[in-house]
Each structure stands twice: as C-alpha cells, then as structure tokens.
Amino acid sequence: MYRSHILICGGTGCTSSGSARILQTFQDELTRYGLNEEVKIVKTGCFGLCAKGPVVIVYPEGAFYAHVRAEDVKEIVEEHLLKGRIVRHLLYEETAQEDNIKSLDQTDFYKKQKRIALRNCGVINPEDINEYIAYDGYQALGKVLTEMTPDDVIDVLKRSGLRGRGGAGFPTGLKWSFAKASEADQKYVCCNADEGDPGAFMDRSVLEGDPHAVIEAMAIAGYAIGATQGYIYVRAEYPIAVKRLTIAIGQARELGLLGKDILGSGFDFDLDVRLGAGAFVCGEETALMTSIEGHRGEPRPRPPFPAVKGLFGKPSILNNVETYANIPQIILKGSEWFASMGTEKSKGTKVFALGGKINNTGLVEVPMGTTLREIIEEIGGGIPNGKKFKAAQTGGPSGGCIPASLIDTEIDYDNLLAIGSMMGSGGLIVMDEDNCMVDIAKFFLEFTVDESCGKCTPCRVGTKRLYEMLDKITKGEGTLEDLDKMEQLCLYIKDNALCGLGQTAPNPVLSTLRYFRKEYEAHVIDKRCPAKVCKQLVHYVVVPNKCRGCTLCTRHCPVGAISGEVKKPHSIDLEKCIKCGACIDQCKFNAIVKE
Amino acid sequence: MKSLAELQALRDKMKGNMGVRHDDTGNIRVVVGMATCGIAAGARPVLQAFTEEIAKRGLKNVTVAQTGCIGICQYEPVVEVTVPGKEKVTYVKMNPEKAVKVVVDHLVNGKVVTEYTIGAVKK
C-alpha cells in the first residue's frame, strides 16, 4: 500500500517548464530516504491551472504545490513526505491558510468549474489503463455492449442534447443516426484531433490526460453506427498526445477492450492513429478524411455528407476529441443528468483555453451559460497589471471579438453566433486596452491567408485582398471607402467559399468592424492607432522633464537613433528610429513614451 | 478480458489503489509522529508496519499520515488513531508488533488496545 501519492503534471505546459526533471528528482530523493516503497509517483495529464505550473499535488493531504522547481523537491521530500509537515511557502498561495490547507476545489479557479470532459485530467496516470478502469473506465462500453441496442445509444445521445464541441455545434446523436441509416459493407469512426486554432489546447490536454475516454467513446460510436474501424487524426506537433494515445491503444488491445469480440459480445472494433502535418484546413471534415486516405488535404463540396460518403467513400462519422470525452459519462449517468446542465439549446459543459491578458492562463470547464464575466474575472482571476478588459476573442480565426459591453453574455452556441462570434473549439483570448483591434483582425487574416488551401477562389484570393486592405489601414494609408469595400468582400467570401475555413475567415474582420468601427476610423481618418500598436502610426518620444540623461537608452538603441549629453534630456531621431521599443524597456524613469 | 464481470472485478481491485486521492474526511486516521524525536525512537518501522498490515488486510477508508512532534518526546513513537465520531486514542512507545495488534484490534474490530495507550503507560 502506498500511503501517499505524488501527482506531477505531465501536460505539455508543465513538461516544457521542466516537470520531467522534477519527477526524476522526486524519484532520486525518495530512493535516498527509502520512501519509494510507501510513496507513489504518478505522472498525470494537465491540471488546468497552467499559469501556476509546474504543478505537483501530494495526497492524502491534497497539498497543491505551484511553480515547483527541481531545487524545491528535496525540501518537499524531507519535510512533507518524511516528517509530515506541509511546505507552506511552496503552496499555491490561495490554498495556504493559517492552520489548514484549502482544498483545491474550493479555490476561485476550480470552484465554478464542472469537469466532465476533463474529469480524469490531472487525476489519473494516462499511461496506465488500470487507473482509468478504477474510475469506471470502459464501464460505459460494457453497458452499451451488454444492455443497449445501437438505437438505444443514439437515442440517449439525442436526448442528452450533446452538440459537437469542435465548433459548429451539430447535434451528435443526429449525426450518428444518419451514419447508422446508411447501408454499407464498411463504415468508419473518425476523431478530429487536428486542433488548429491559435491558443486552443483542450483537445491536446484530453488526449494527454485521459486518452482512454476518447478510445472508449469511439468504440461506442462504432457499435452505434455499425463500424469496425476507427481513425484518430492528430497533429504531429502534439508528440506527448500521440505517444500516450499509442500507449493507450496498445493497452486497450492487450486487455481485449479493442480488437475482436470485445467483452464476449461479438462486436469487433479497432483503432489507428493518423498523423497530420499541421495544416489548418485538415480540421475541416472532408479535408481531414482526404488526408487520412493519403491524399493532399483539401476539402470537397458537400453533399454528399460524410455520413453517406466519407472516408474511403464509405459512410463515416467525425467527432471532436472533447465531444467524445463527454460520451462515456452520458452513457453511464444518463441523458437527463447531462441535459440538466447548460442552457436550453446548449447542454452540458464546455472547455475553454484561457489565454492572452489574463492572470490564470489555463484550461477551464464550465457549464454552458456561464457568463464571460465569470470566466474572466472569477475563474481567470482578472487582467494583469490593473489594465482594463477590452474584448475577448473566441473561436480563433473563424470566430470574432466580444466587446467589453457584452461581458455579461451567457456563453452558448446560439448566443455567440448572435453577437457575431462563434464557439469554435473553445480558445478564449482575452485582450486589454493595449491591444489594437485592427491589428488583431490582421493577425487572424494573416493566419487564414497562410492556411488557405487554395482550392477555391473566394478563399484563396479573397482573404489575401482582405489582408492587404487591413495592412493598408494599419499603415495609415486606408480610406473610408476601404472599410465599406472590406465589409462587402467579407460577405462575398462568406457566401461563396467552399469550406468552413473560407466561410468563417472574414469573421474576425466583420466582428471588429461591428464593435470597434471607431478604432478603424481613427486609423483611417486621424492616422492614429488608439492602442499604440500599429508601428507606422506611432512614434517614440522622450519626455524632457522625466529624462535624467542617464544614457542607458543610447547604449541600447540598435540603430543609434538616440542622442544627448550626459545628465541632460535626450532626444530621438524619428528618421532613424525603427520603433523596436528597446529604449522603453531599458528606461528606469518612464521617460520614453509612444505617441 | 472476455466479459463485463471481469472488467468490473478489475475495477474493484484497482479502486483500492486510488484511495488516497479521494476526499478522506470519513476515513479512520492513523497519524504517526515523525519529528526528529519520533524518527530517532523508531517511528519509521512503525509507519511501515501500519501500511503493510493495512494493505495485507485490504482495509479501505484508512488514511495513514504523519505529523510532527506533539511534545511528549519521552513516549515516542507516538501514534494517534481517530475513528470518525469517536474520541482520539493516543498510543505511545509503539513498535512494529504493537502496530500490527492495533490494526487488528482497533481498526478492524473497533477495540482500543488499552495497555498501549498513554493513560495506561503513564500509570
């Protein structure tokens, strides 16, 4: 028996800040003190609070150590594990109380969360199928195979109200029923793990933290629609996810939970992983299937929909990782349980990847209908440096910006669409007053121009022209006529592009034009960037009465644009200045400002 | 694995290993004093004897934890056992053999081993 478990986050975030070395150090220290027989080390998936990583939790106390360094490990082992004294100064500040520790689910970050898709992330060792089984893993598959008909399964999903978590929000049960209705000698179940939105990482975290949940759900899908083979399409840039997925599939096969005659039911199902090369368009369903087939990842017109003619020309379903991760729970706990959470038309929870100008960067899972204010101010811990919230971007390059005036919007599929954004896969990028909205729109357009596959003209040429107009505006060369032209072009691309990539690519422009038109006009009419981001529209000047003439800036200016005598106010040669900002970073007296 | 029953048997077996990661408020707590005085008096073998015996008997709902010095160093190794809803029992001058007896009598059968408690030893 292990009297204590040390859970170390092995997600991508904590791994890149050194959690592997921390794990090694724990192993060494425990061996040194002869504790390795009584204390177990578990490498888990993402805990969600990435901002505080690397994260280590020690049970049974549930002590949550934040920002752990390898140098701290010795102290934790000597004090906490050997002598039973929690190392308070290393705890996550909020949990360290006078005479006790606050349990993690009582902290502001976790209190309002409801973890279904992420329920095992940061709780189990994803590389050990036994831990998944201990938490009711594969029970849903067992229930489906022994007690339910395929129609029962689809019926439960329909009644649960589960909608696709990849972005578009199509009802999952309905999708499955179409595929079931198609007659064919072979059908396929596919999983979309080609998470491409900049800033979104929930699918990666599910695969890294709880790969078996996806595998189990895909087997259930296979049973429901009558498929015996599945493919998980995951991007090669997710090496940890790919590794754990491969291990998980191997372990499931070994136990007979994948393969022939699963649990003696006569049902066969197997899975393979296919690696994508990271093209954004391959997240689109027809392009993804084309890519699995071994062709160049390009979309094709629909209909026929994949439920009729999909992978290798056979009826197929494609669901997103997060969608699958919900399914075993829905089967076990029932459709009423799931439908009791969320709003009228959006049931259950949604995972968001919080990023940008926010204190608690990380992964959060909240019931549908939670307001943006709750996510940003309460769970996210607000905006750093006392800055003001300006907008939130959801849905990545396909989504839009939600302005501060709509911060009380209850987030669900329909509300987001109504205000010109979309759920997308769940990236939520928070912006403060230092972000220029024109620049944001330009950033996303640059992304879609790069990622457009080029098959259809509206997307290939349209996004490029759109980008050029935005570029012109950020340089102060735009006209009011450009704004109208841009709007027209946006609508044209939306109506005519072949696939989802092009159809949604203008959203960042449209939504910023809708809510931040004044900012566009400032760029066009006053030749001014209110957030002081657009390089061509700002210049750097010295505030004479603040400058002490310390010459620090002159020494750091890479182009020698700053001159002046010692102890006298300096000046910047605007002709030479390349606006790199090195002087502002160096100045200790805030004597250099952007105008 | 060829049936759901086998899967459920495996789940029940594995569940026992995950115990410490749950909320342990309803558990019996066995707390071993592990300050310098405790360790010097031989608290480590006592702690190990507890964990081994608890595992051997497959007891659920028992948390084994450590604590620092409670101020009666002459009576170390000290072990406190708290059964929910009952008064705390303090065992003193423990050794691995006594630990096994405490597990059997107190944890399993609910009978306090009076002769090892601080009240008995002080007299």
Side-chain angles (χ1 to χ4, degrees):
Chain A
M1 174 189 162
Y2 292 104
R3 64 173 167 86
S4 180
H5 289 191
I6 305 174
L7 272 58
I8 300 173
C9 178
T12 293
C14 287
T15 300
S16 50
S17 45
S19 72
R21 200 158 79 87
I22 293 170
L23 192 139
Q24 188 54 49
T25 319
F26 263 112
Q27 245 150 20
D28 297 345
E29 288 292 318
L30 289 179
T31 315
R32 204 155 73 86
Y33 285 101
L35 293 171
N36 42 355
E37 294 283 303
E38 47 191 88
V39 178
K40 184 180 189 181
I41 300 177
V42 184
K43 185 168 77 177
T44 70
C46 180
F47 288 99
L49 195 49
C50 308
K52 301 288 174 204
V55 166
V56 173
I57 300 188
V58 180
Y59 285 100
E61 294 86 357
F64 186 98
Y65 293 112
H67 291 306
V68 178
R69 298 165 306 160
E71 299 88 273
D72 298 327
V73 170
K74 190 163 181 276
E75 192 177 355
I76 296 177
V77 172
E78 275 180 6
E79 288 294 309
H80 187 158
L81 296 163
L82 190 65
K83 298 180 186 165
R85 290 191 294 230
I86 291 170
V87 188
R88 283 180 189 278
H89 72 99
L90 293 174
L91 287 177
Y92 171 38
E93 310 86 13
E94 207 196 319
T95 62
Q97 290 177 333
E98 276 290 293
D99 52 348
N100 210 335
I101 54 169
K102 200 180 194 179
S103 82
L104 209 51
D105 47 18
Q106 292 305 311
T107 59
D108 289 339
F109 184 76
Y110 289 103
K111 201 162 51 188
K112 285 218 163 175
Q113 293 197 46
K114 173 94 195 155
R115 300 191 144 212
I116 299 172
L118 298 179
R119 75 182 181 113
N120 282 333
C121 289
V123 177
I124 63 167
N125 175 358
E127 295 178 15
D128 183 357
I129 191 171
N130 290 325
E131 296 213 344
Y132 180 68
I133 289 174
Y135 285 135
D136 292 332
Y138 291 102
Q139 294 292 328
L141 179 62
K143 182 176 172 183
V144 162
L145 294 181
T146 52
E147 295 171 18
M148 297 167 82
T149 65
D151 283 317
D152 291 341
V153 177
I154 290 172
D155 193 47
V156 166
L157 280 188
K158 275 186 180 166
R159 278 187 289 121
S160 75
L162 176 67
R163 295 169 65 174
R165 297 294 192 248
F170 192 81
T172 307
L174 201 59
K175 194 186 255 185
W176 288 19
S177 69
F178 293 151
K180 179 176 186 290
S182 302
E183 294 284 337
D185 54 344
Q186 175 70 55
K187 297 180 188 178
Y188 294 104
V189 172
C190 304
C191 173
N192 188 345
D194 191 68
E195 190 172 43
D197 288 6
F201 54 94
M202 62 283 298
D203 294 346
R204 187 191 75 207
S205 289
V206 170
L207 291 178
E208 287 174 1
D210 196 12
H212 286 288
V214 177
I215 295 172
E216 182 179 3
M218 289 181 74
I220 293 171
Y223 177 73
I225 69 161
T228 55
Q229 175 65 39
Y231 290 98
I232 302 178
Y233 188 81
V234 55
R235 38 184 48 218
E237 292 109 312
Y238 284 178
I240 298 179
V242 172
K243 181 180 154 221
R244 298 209 177 130
L245 207 46
T246 316
I247 293 174
I249 291 174
Q251 290 178 340
R253 273 189 199 137
E254 221 166 89
L255 283 187
L257 295 165
L258 282 178
K260 298 270 177 229
D261 191 21
I262 296 171
L263 295 175
S265 64
F267 168 64
D268 304 337
F269 189 77
D270 211 340
L271 270 182
D272 279 303
V273 173
R274 287 288 177 274
L275 300 190
F280 184 58
V281 73
C282 287
E284 196 278 339
E285 62 177 3
T286 57
L288 184 149
M289 289 178 184
T290 315
S291 178
I292 291 180
E293 289 167 4
H295 304 293
R296 181 183 178 134
E298 283 182 344
R300 59 158 180 82
R302 296 175 301 181
F305 285 92
V308 179
K309 203 162 178 268
L311 186 60
F312 300 115
K314 304 290 182 186
S316 310
I317 55 162
L318 175 71
N319 287 113
N320 163 271
V321 171
E322 192 189 332
T323 315
Y324 280 126
N326 277 295
I327 289 173
Q329 292 301 298
I330 296 175
I331 299 289
L332 285 179
K333 295 187 178 170
S335 51
E336 292 77 19
W337 164 78
F338 192 77
S340 70
M341 290 170 286
T343 61
E344 195 196 334
K345 286 185 178 158
S346 306
K347 300 298 185 190
T349 58
K350 179 78 192 85
V351 184
F352 290 98
L354 271 184
K357 308 280 179 66
I358 185 112
N359 278 316
N360 294 337
T361 315
L363 267 196
V364 304
E365 181 169 356
V366 290
M368 294 278 189
T370 305
T371 65
L372 199 54
R373 186 187 295 280
E374 286 172 285
I375 297 177
I376 293 171
E377 292 181 1
E378 294 176 35
I379 300 172
I383 300 184
N385 307 322
K387 298 272 182 180
K388 237 176 76 195
F389 171 69
K390 183 175 186 176
Q393 211 279 347
T394 64
S398 314
C401 291
I402 305 169
S405 59
L406 294 173
I407 193 172
D408 288 311
T409 307
E410 291 182 352
I411 296 187
D412 68 9
Y413 290 102
D414 309 285
N415 284 348
L416 284 184
L417 275 181
I419 58 174
S421 184
M422 69 183 275
M423 188 72 87
S425 59
L428 206 155
I429 300 165
V430 180
M431 290 173 279
D432 68 6
E433 45 201 333
D434 292 341
N435 288 98
C436 167
M437 302 316 282
V438 185
D439 187 61
I440 293 290
K442 191 175 120 183
F443 167 81
F444 282 115
L445 254 294
E446 191 182 353
F447 180 85
T448 35
V449 168
D450 257 1
E451 294 292 345
S452 172
C453 77
K455 187 169 181 176
C456 75
T457 316
C459 179
R460 183 184 67 242
V461 182
T463 54
K464 180 79 181 161
R465 293 288 97 83
L466 211 47
Y467 172 77
E468 286 165 358
M469 280 193 257
L470 285 166
D471 192 45
K472 216 172 124 191
I473 294 170
T474 57
K475 285 182 174 151
E477 294 160 6
T479 62
L480 284 175
E481 202 196 339
D482 285 335
L483 295 187
D484 297 333
K485 256 207 244 164
M486 251 169 40
E487 217 157 4
Q488 246 180 340
L489 180 56
C490 282
L491 298 175
Y492 175 81
I493 299 173
K494 255 175 128 60
D495 286 345
N496 293 289
L498 171 62
C499 80
L501 194 158
Q503 286 157 11
T504 56
N507 282 351
V509 181
L510 280 174
S511 77
T512 46
L513 265 176
R514 177 167 163 192
Y515 295 115
F516 299 94
R517 198 175 181 99
K518 285 226 156 52
E519 216 167 311
Y520 277 91
E521 287 171 357
H523 283 76
V524 172
I525 302 169
D526 310 333
K527 311 292 176 207
R528 188 173 64 81
C529 174
K532 297 184 180 135
V533 170
C534 298
K535 269 193 177 181
Q536 269 85 353
L537 301 181
V538 296
H539 43 262
Y540 288 66
V541 289
V542 177
V543 184
N545 57 5
K546 279 191 178 170
C547 179
R548 308 273 180 90
C550 70
T551 75
L552 195 58
C553 55
T554 35
R555 275 176 277 147
H556 281 91
C557 179
V559 290
I562 309 179
S563 56
E565 281 176 50
V566 179
K567 296 198 173 161
K568 286 193 181 146
H570 286 35
S571 63
I572 299 175
D573 183 347
L574 297 181
E575 293 283 300
K576 281 189 187 165
C577 175
I578 54 164
K579 300 167 185 175
C580 65
C583 49
I584 291 197
D585 293 342
Q586 291 301 326
C587 184
K588 295 193 166 57
F589 309 103
N590 297 322
I592 298 173
V593 293
K594 290 196 262 186
E595 266 182 4
Chain B
M1 202 176 325
K2 275 288 151 239
S3 73
L4 184 56
E6 273 178 73
L7 178 67
Q8 277 160 348
L10 180 62
R11 174 188 62 181
D12 296 339
K13 188 170 154 233
M14 290 306 156
K15 240 183 192 158
N17 299 341
M18 310 293 281
V20 303
R21 279 181 241 174
H22 287 290
D23 177 23
D24 63 350
T25 39
N27 279 11
I28 298 175
R29 285 180 67 81
V30 176
V31 182
V32 184
M34 294 284 278
T36 307
C37 49
I39 295 173
R44 288 212 55 77
V46 172
L47 179 83
Q48 278 155 356
F50 268 109
T51 53
E52 273 165 28
E53 194 61 24
I54 288 166
K56 207 192 288 172
R57 294 179 178 271
L59 299 186
K60 307 260 159 59
N61 308 324
V62 179
T63 303
V64 179
Q66 303 144 282
T67 190
C69 175
I70 57 167
I72 43 170
C73 311
Q74 69 271 36
Y75 292 109
E76 291 285 358
V78 174
V79 176
E80 297 176 336
V81 176
T82 318
V83 178
K86 292 193 179 152
E87 213 166 313
K88 179 170 77 186
V89 177
T90 306
Y91 293 110
V92 297
K93 298 202 170 172
M94 291 294 284
N95 61 33
E97 294 74 44
K98 288 180 177 176
V100 172
K101 191 165 164 60
V102 168
V103 172
V104 177
D105 287 8
H106 193 165
L107 302 190
V108 178
N109 296 316
K111 259 179 59 197
V112 177
V113 191
T114 322
E115 69 254 43
Y116 300 161
T117 60
I118 187 159
V121 172
K122 262 186 169 172
K123 281 173 203 160

